[in-house]
Amino acid sequence: MSLKVLCDRILADGRSLEGVILKVDKFINHQMDPYLMKQVAVEFIRRFSDLRVNKIVTVEASGIAPSIMLGYMMELPVVFAKKKLPSTMQEAYVTTVHSFTKQSDTQLMISREYLTADDHVLFIDDFLAYGNAALAICDLCRQAGATVEGMGFIIEKEMLHGRELLQKEGISRIESLAIVDSLENNTIHIKED
Ligand code: 5GP
């Protein structure tokens, strides 16, 4: 089941760019709509209510807004993987992620202090596209001995098959609040329930 208010907003304010990129910077990743983020967080809480997690993990920058809203409501700490190693971070788990949207490799890192073998992680991000960012988080969790209990995405671009990649990696709980199955011809098509 998709989140209707989100789907309506994507259709009203989203833009399809070159058939692969969905521009949502009017309400998700540049200008942000906190009330929509709240509705997103409430839906994630409903969908993941059976999971036992003690930490939310995301990637900077666009994953931070939904994650902090969710962390606030669930009263859980939120850790975001950084793209640059701060001089103050002594020891970190580091991995490389390939971005098809930017056509480049980026390093992601999380301090050893904030991801440990005691952690049961819920990963949250704005988009599931090819699944590489999510796989990189799996790698960081593996390095730390942490368990990924589930993954939640605001928008999934189904035609890029990221979900299948993550399922092959052993992630069984994947929830996306809106599933886009085509961006062809500058038209956004959202999968019906
Ligand atoms: P993946 O690693 O799954 O290919 O891509 C996930 C990351 O790329 C997300 O964190 C998101 O920030 C970015 N991304 C992927 N597709 C889109 C898109 O269509 N629009 C926007 N705005 N960001 C995207």
Side-chain angles (χ1 to χ4, degrees):
M1 273 276 283
S2 42
L3 180 62
K4 189 172 182 311
V5 67
L6 171 67
C7 295
D8 290 348
R9 192 64 179 273
I10 293 168
L11 294 175
D13 287 339
R15 295 286 171 267
S16 163
L17 298 184
E18 294 156 22
V20 271
I21 301 290
L22 177 57
K23 194 166 181 273
V24 287
D25 63 357
K26 198 168 179 181
F27 56 105
I28 292 183
N29 56 21
H30 190 15
Q31 174 169 263
M32 291 183 274
D33 178 344
Y35 187 64
L36 181 69
M37 284 298 176
K38 182 183 170 199
Q39 290 166 300
V40 160
V42 166
E43 182 62 13
F44 278 138
I45 290 171
R46 192 183 71 77
R47 292 189 188 203
F48 290 120
S49 60
D50 59 314
L51 291 190
R52 287 183 157 262
V53 296
N54 69 320
K55 191 165 280 184
I56 294 165
V57 172
T58 189
V59 181
E60 74 172 340
S62 305
I64 295 176
S67 298
I68 199 77
M69 190 67 85
L70 188 58
Y72 174 73
M73 287 184 185
M74 293 177 78
E75 299 185 14
L76 291 178
V78 176
V79 177
F80 63 94
K82 289 180 177 261
K83 292 178 178 165
K84 278 198 186 120
L85 188 68
S87 55
T88 50
M89 201 192 284
Q90 299 282 320
E91 290 193 80
Y93 300 108
V94 182
T95 193
T96 302
V97 58
H98 181 72
S99 165
F100 281 95
T101 42
K102 293 184 187 146
Q103 282 302 330
S104 63
D105 284 348
T106 316
Q107 289 207 309
L108 288 183
M109 50 216 77
I110 293 181
S111 166
R112 286 171 186 250
E113 212 178 331
Y114 303 127
L115 192 62
T116 74
D118 293 333
D119 286 326
H120 292 263
V121 165
L122 176 57
F123 173 67
I124 297 292
D125 205 359
D126 58 343
F127 275 92
L128 170 59
Y130 294 92
N132 289 311
L135 268 193
I137 293 299
C138 288
D139 185 37
L140 292 175
C141 287
R142 196 178 302 116
Q143 291 180 44
T147 310
V148 180
E149 300 288 353
M151 295 193 162
F153 303 92
I154 301 180
I155 302 169
E156 174 176 347
K157 295 192 294 187
E158 192 191 53
M159 60 284 190
L160 302 180
H161 307 293
R163 180 181 286 259
E164 289 148 48
L165 191 73
L166 298 178
Q167 283 167 338
K168 273 191 208 138
E169 197 62 20
I171 307 297
S172 54
R173 283 302 298 279
I174 302 170
E175 297 283 349
S176 303
L177 307 190
I179 301 182
V180 171
D181 57 10
S182 169
L183 292 169
E184 300 278 303
N185 306 318
N186 293 331
T187 305
I188 302 166
H189 190 266
I190 295 181
K191 196 175 172 181
E192 303 279 326
D193 288 324

